[in-house]
Amino acid sequence: MAAAPVWSVDPRTGKQREQVAVEATAQEVDAAVRAAHAARDALTDRTVRAAFLRGAADELKAAESTLVEVADAETALGPVRLTGELARTCYQLRAFADIVDEGEFLGVVVNHPDDTATPPIPDLRRYKVPLGVVAVYSASNFPFAFSVPGGDTASALAAGCPVVVKAHPDHPALSELVAKVLRRAAARHGIPDGVLGLVHGFEAGVELIKHPLVAAAGFTGSVRGGRALFDAAAARPAPIPFHGELGSLNPVVVTEAAATERAAAIGAGLAGSMTLGVGQFCVKPGLVLVPAGAAGDGLVKSLTDAVSDTDAGVLLDHRMRDNFVAGVAERTALPDVDSPVTPGSGGEHTVAAGFLTVPAARLTARGEHDLLLEECFGPVTVVARYEDDAEVAGVLSRLPGNLTATVQVSAEEAAGEGRGASILAELVPLAGRVLVNGWPTGVAVAAAQQHGGPYPATTSTSTSVGGTAVERWLRPVAYQGAPEALLPAELRDDNPLGLPRRFNGVLER
């Protein structure tokens, strides 16, 4: 049987642009993984690794105009958005290069023998080593930042792990171009092409997670797809870590005092956040708890005005468009659900932004309205009008894990008065990032970032954004009683590499 073709498709028209590749067979997946495995030693030298990451950023920047043009043709996200995303991706690669140079991520700890301790401590030296080949499953909505050159790839390479990427079918041409750019950067530092493998096709993704030489995986996508791969990773003869980002509702609570103080600003801010990127951000606010009464009415009016002025947009592919139209229709048909601005079809190839309102009491107990507590990918949010704090607590108690949770408070509440602190405490168990008087869209690449949360937001407690994302691809090893001459340079007493470490209980930098 001939291999299935992989087509680049224009989401603005639904028409095929060009055949980019063919779906990888099991044998081709095996070859890609084995080539990556063979490239491990080329990443051993941290100096080479850091130079490779910086070189990759430079090469991506040099190819910016071509990459952005192809990305826009395949995603319809627009040159401005895509240029910014590529800049973010380059920054992220350079940030991981700095982390590699610094060396703190290795977690070096040295304990000399201590016979006076109970029990006695032998000579112990601990640091972290790369897991091995990492499988990366690209996301549709961030063709740079969460795709071939994105955070999973960058952090894995920083850890010293080669990567095999399963390309997303929504941007296969871009995936091929970016892979060539990264391999060109690798070659300039003596690193084999195999350090970054690329495969296409659903079955290739299944074969990849099962391959015995794959040591870990990173995924960004749907709950259904991510859970299937997570289960497959756990069912292997030797289970592997699976760091998946699956779905998130990203709840927002607006206090009565906040709505009274700045209803117009909150409504406008919510409209901008929920329609950003045509509602295709993983941190889009999908459920907003707004007080019933005049203050909440003002917020809803502001939201109505702002969303009504939003142009129809193109989603990443027509399957997503169809799912969005069907999803909002099903939600709108529920009892007591209104749509001040009706979301849905904006034309043959576009969708219209909108929002739904529902009494919060409908969400405090299990029933048909549970559908409103599920993510709907696209430019729509659900505004739940609450009567009192008990209804807020009741809705929050029914939510699954999320990437983010937000509270909008008044100036007085921000100063410690009123319900602000208690609501914040209720949100912390729900999410990995908790915001006050902000909007969750926009995930800064920073050391303190946490992009991950309780299941189903993610399948682990790790972050996929920020410096600590590198920790996902490492495992600790302790040497006991090893003579100095047999130790890796990172663990020797004289610290020839100048690494930050904890030496006999003292932190050295």
Side-chain angles (χ1 to χ4, degrees):
M1 181 184 295
V6 174
W7 290 92
S8 173
V9 177
D10 182 348
R12 293 182 173 96
T13 64
K15 294 181 179 179
Q16 294 175 339
R17 297 177 59 248
E18 60 176 330
Q19 183 179 339
V20 173
V22 295
E23 294 186 357
T25 64
Q27 292 77 18
E28 288 167 334
V29 172
D30 177 66
V33 174
R34 291 187 182 280
H37 186 71
R40 296 179 341 277
D41 289 348
L43 295 176
T44 301
D45 189 323
R46 288 189 302 115
T47 302
V48 171
R49 260 174 20 230
F52 170 33
L53 291 167
R54 293 191 180 96
D58 293 342
E59 293 283 353
L60 288 169
K61 177 61 179 175
E64 177 182 89
S65 59
T66 299
L67 295 177
V68 168
E69 180 180 0
V70 173
D72 182 49
E74 290 192 310
T75 68
L77 289 173
V80 174
R81 148 73 194 273
L82 290 165
T83 299
E85 186 185 329
L86 181 58
R88 176 192 190 278
T89 302
C90 292
Y91 174 83
Q92 184 166 244
L93 286 161
R94 295 188 179 103
F96 277 116
D98 292 342
I99 287 168
V100 172
D101 278 340
E102 184 184 57
E104 186 177 4
F105 74 100
L106 294 171
V108 177
V109 182
V110 175
N111 283 127
H112 284 163
D114 183 357
D115 292 336
T116 66
T118 305
I121 297 172
D123 187 277
L124 284 169
R125 294 149 193 265
R126 182 184 191 269
Y127 78 142
K128 297 174 184 176
V129 299
L131 288 175
V133 178
V134 170
V136 170
Y137 293 81
S138 295
S140 60
N141 55 340
F142 285 88
F144 293 117
F146 284 84
S147 188
V148 177
D152 286 349
T153 296
S155 58
L157 293 172
C161 296
V163 171
V164 178
V165 180
K166 191 275 181 186
H168 198 281
D170 280 352
H171 50 264
L174 179 68
S175 298
E176 287 285 343
L177 283 174
V178 169
K180 289 177 182 177
V181 170
L182 297 185
R183 289 170 184 152
R184 185 161 63 240
R188 291 186 176 175
H189 297 283
I191 300 172
D193 281 358
V195 74
L196 183 86
L198 182 69
V199 297
H200 298 267
F202 176 82
E203 291 300 329
V206 176
E207 291 295 328
L208 187 57
I209 200 68
K210 297 191 308 185
H211 199 287
L213 292 180
V214 167
F219 171 91
T220 304
S222 68
V223 173
R224 181 180 177 184
R227 182 55 193 255
L229 290 170
F230 176 60
D231 291 346
R236 290 167 40 127
I240 60 172
F242 183 87
H243 300 283
E245 179 190 322
L246 310 188
S248 185
L249 196 60
N250 305 300
V252 178
V253 178
V254 181
T255 68
E256 176 86 31
T260 300
E261 183 177 273
R262 49 194 177 88
I266 294 174
L270 172 59
S273 185
M274 53 137 320
T275 62
L276 186 65
V278 202
Q280 296 174 111
F281 279 46
C282 52
V283 288
K284 178 201 76 176
L287 175 69
V288 187
L289 287 154
V290 172
D297 291 345
L299 191 158
V300 171
K301 182 183 183 304
S302 172
L303 178 62
T304 300
D305 293 343
V307 174
S308 296
D309 288 339
T310 302
D311 293 334
V314 177
L315 295 186
L316 292 160
D317 63 41
H318 279 60
R319 176 186 58 81
M320 292 182 187
R321 179 194 173 279
D322 292 345
N323 288 342
F324 173 76
V325 172
V328 296
E330 188 178 3
R331 288 162 170 81
T332 304
L334 292 169
D336 290 335
V337 171
D338 295 320
S339 53
V341 183
T342 303
S345 176
E348 183 180 1
H349 305 293
T350 60
V351 296
F355 69 97
L356 312 178
T357 62
V358 66
R362 282 287 196 175
L363 305 178
T364 57
R366 186 180 300 275
E368 59 185 334
H369 288 77
D370 286 0
L371 181 63
L372 300 177
L373 302 182
E374 297 177 11
E375 180 184 16
C376 186
F377 193 74
V380 64
T381 196
V382 175
V383 175
R385 304 295 300 273
Y386 66 87
E387 297 289 345
D388 52 35
D389 292 344
E391 286 190 353
V392 173
V395 174
L396 293 180
S397 70
R398 301 200 60 240
L399 297 185
N402 290 270
L403 293 170
T404 72
T406 301
V407 60
Q408 297 285 341
V409 298
S410 68
E412 187 176 69
E413 289 170 325
E417 302 294 330
R419 278 270 288 145
S422 60
I423 292 176
L424 198 61
E426 290 179 64
L427 296 181
V428 168
L430 293 178
R433 178 162 58 105
V434 181
L435 297 90
V436 178
N437 289 352
W439 297 105
T441 38
V443 184
V445 179
Q449 187 59 271
Q450 174 61 28
H451 190 63
Y455 184 86
T458 51
T459 60
S460 71
T461 59
S462 302
T463 180
S464 61
V465 179
T468 54
V470 71
E471 296 173 1
R472 297 175 295 167
W473 321 118
L474 299 162
R475 68 176 181 89
V477 175
Y479 288 74
Q480 181 171 331
E484 185 89 1
L486 301 183
L487 287 169
E490 290 85 352
L491 299 180
R492 294 176 187 165
D493 280 351
D494 61 353
N495 197 11
L497 303 180
L499 293 169
R501 63 180 184 175
R502 186 166 292 278
F503 190 80
N504 288 329
V506 178
L507 186 62
E508 298 179 346
R509 293 184 180 275

